[in-house]
Amino acid sequence: MALLKLVGFGVLYLTLASCSSLSNIYNGEDDHRIHEAELAKKLEMPPNFIEPKDTNSLLTQSLSSVDLSEVDTIPSYQVEQIQVKSNLVERWIEFEGVDVKQVWAGLRQFVQQQGFDIAEERLDLGLIETQYAARIEHAPVEKELGALSRMLNSWRPELVSGIYDRYSLQVIDDTANKKVKVYIRHHMMQADSSQNTTDWLIRPYDTMMESLALYRAMVFFGATQLQAISEVETVAYYQEIYEGEELAGIVLAAPRSQAWDYLQAMVYRADWYVTATRPALYEIWLKTPENTPSSKGFFGRLFSGRDLPELVRLKLTPSESDADKTMLSLNVEEGGAPLNAEQRRHILTTLGLLEK
């Protein structure tokens, strides 16, 4: 009897192993277990991007105590003069003392090393655009499944998907100053498969993904991890305004004309529906995502608990204390319920005007 049980267990094991192999063959995929060791070590998101004020994190301490040139694992071009520059609107990587074609060749290899296929490249325009790639993460199944379930499912990974990323890279040859500038812009798409059919939704870009791309590009071109973190750290071009303990708005570190261009650019990139633009009054009326047709899927349900009003007004006014600063306030239609601090923060964050 014991022998029969042993034989039965062996047959079950061989069946599961063959299913795994056949599944990989039919799907045109290589066995992830074979190539896992061959992949370059993934650069995890530095804690500075999640908690910019946390300067005593374990990763920061460990980076300060080792020779970083020995732990950078992805190939690099060892560019000596490389920095991240920024203004009110965006950030870019600035190379000095290197030919633009070398930067171009490095960027092509960089995006491919990050797992993106190139959809279009125009050297005459300095433009590289990638195709959308699925953002796939391993699910923490050990927290949800029992020991037996984990054993029976150990032959295949539990993957989470549904968000797709794409990048546009713009290369500018500043020959007058002997510099090359590279802008990296993120685009995002979401697949909502909760119904019988899949709805594909264009989502606002993620500033965190742009920061991560800048960081990885810096390391790829030869910067140490600590140097890359320092360069990519967001410079605060705004200050939060509070009325008592509630967030009332923000102050932008720019005159009103520049702040107006910045506000329009951020609204456009976040893909919010604009109902009215009044340049003479420096104000924009927006329809909140919960009240647009495209928000009826997963994204709309995700934030439906916030009960945002249908329309919100963003208005710029000069700072009374400093002519080089501009106040940004949020209001609703006359007679509507005023926004609370949580709603203001959610709107500003979703538009990319506040860091998450």
Side-chain angles (χ1 to χ4, degrees):
M1 186 58 119
L3 179 60
L4 289 176
K5 289 184 179 179
L6 181 60
V7 172
F9 182 82
V11 172
L12 175 62
Y13 177 83
L14 291 175
T15 302
L16 291 175
S18 63
C19 287
S20 174
S21 301
L22 290 174
S23 175
N24 288 333
I25 293 173
Y26 291 143
N27 292 330
E29 298 175 353
D30 294 331
D31 191 330
H32 73 280
R33 293 167 296 186
I34 297 176
H35 296 285
E36 185 174 3
E38 300 175 7
L39 298 177
K41 177 183 175 183
K42 181 180 178 182
L43 287 172
E44 297 297 338
M45 183 181 297
N48 304 62
F49 296 157
I50 303 174
E51 300 174 359
K53 297 180 181 179
D54 183 11
T55 58
N56 296 318
S57 65
L58 294 177
L59 178 59
T60 302
Q61 295 173 13
S62 63
L63 290 178
S64 303
S65 61
V66 298
D67 183 1
L68 294 173
S69 62
E70 296 179 0
V71 298
D72 292 343
T73 58
I74 61 178
S76 67
Y77 279 66
Q78 297 301 324
V79 177
E80 294 184 0
Q81 299 294 329
I82 177 172
Q83 291 180 300
V84 174
K85 299 288 187 177
S86 59
N87 55 28
L88 183 65
V89 179
E90 55 193 338
R91 289 174 291 177
W92 63 92
I93 300 177
E94 194 167 277
F95 299 86
E96 190 172 350
V98 63
D99 184 76
V100 65
K101 291 187 178 180
Q102 291 178 297
V103 175
W104 179 270
L107 288 174
R108 292 186 76 259
Q109 184 175 344
F110 168 70
V111 297
Q112 291 171 341
Q113 186 269 344
Q114 294 296 309
F116 291 90
D117 294 327
I118 296 177
E120 182 180 6
E121 51 181 325
R122 294 282 303 274
L123 183 58
D124 56 329
L125 300 177
L127 179 65
I128 297 176
E129 287 196 344
T130 73
Q131 296 181 359
Y132 276 101
R135 191 192 307 177
I136 299 177
E137 298 291 344
H138 286 266
V141 294
E142 65 277 0
K143 297 182 179 180
E144 301 295 335
L145 302 179
L148 180 59
S149 298
R150 290 200 302 270
M151 183 186 71
L152 295 177
N153 287 276
S154 60
W155 59 275
R156 63 182 178 86
E158 292 287 344
L159 301 178
V160 180
S161 61
I163 294 181
Y164 296 78
D165 302 299
R166 178 172 68 87
Y167 285 97
S168 297
L169 294 83
Q170 183 180 7
V171 182
I172 297 177
D173 188 7
D174 186 0
T175 54
N177 296 311
K178 299 181 179 180
K179 296 179 180 179
V180 179
K181 300 178 180 179
V182 175
Y183 295 82
I184 302 178
R185 301 179 177 91
H186 174 255
H187 312 268
M188 188 164 66
M189 181 186 295
Q190 185 176 16
D192 178 12
S193 301
S194 58
Q195 306 298 325
N196 294 330
T197 59
T198 299
D199 293 327
W200 297 91
L201 307 174
I202 300 297
R203 299 266 58 97
Y205 76 105
D206 192 335
T207 55
M208 196 71 69
M209 295 298 291
E210 288 189 356
S211 295
L212 190 57
L214 286 171
Y215 164 78
R216 287 175 169 167
M218 287 282 292
V219 175
F220 182 88
F221 280 98
T224 64
Q225 294 179 352
L226 187 59
Q227 178 189 356
I229 291 174
S230 176
E231 288 288 335
V232 176
E233 281 182 339
T234 303
V235 179
Y237 286 102
Y238 64 85
Q239 180 180 357
E240 297 180 10
I241 306 174
Y242 287 87
E243 293 180 355
E245 297 183 355
E246 289 200 348
L247 177 70
I250 59 176
V251 175
L252 299 172
R256 190 159 62 157
S257 58
Q258 185 180 353
W260 175 248
D261 293 338
Y262 171 60
L263 179 61
Q264 292 182 94
M266 299 303 282
V267 168
Y268 173 78
R269 294 192 67 189
D271 198 31
W272 280 35
Y273 185 77
V274 179
T275 61
T277 302
R278 297 167 183 166
L281 300 176
Y282 291 93
E283 65 181 36
I284 299 177
W285 284 89
L286 304 174
K287 182 170 288 190
T288 55
E290 295 174 19
N291 296 286
T292 58
S294 63
S295 68
K296 301 307 180 184
F298 170 80
F299 191 82
R301 295 194 301 272
L302 181 64
F303 294 107
S304 60
R306 297 182 185 274
D307 296 326
L308 294 178
E310 181 177 1
L311 296 176
V312 62
R313 182 191 69 175
L314 278 63
K315 184 175 179 63
L316 297 173
T317 55
S319 172
E320 297 179 357
S321 58
D322 192 339
D324 292 328
K325 293 183 179 181
T326 304
M327 298 177 63
L328 171 62
S329 59
L330 294 82
N331 298 98
V332 297
E333 293 180 287
E334 186 175 354
L339 295 169
N340 58 40
E342 181 187 1
Q343 291 172 325
R344 291 193 187 97
R345 184 171 295 278
H346 170 63
I347 292 171
L348 292 171
T349 302
T350 307
L351 289 172
L353 297 167
L354 276 181
E355 290 296 316
K356 294 182 181 180

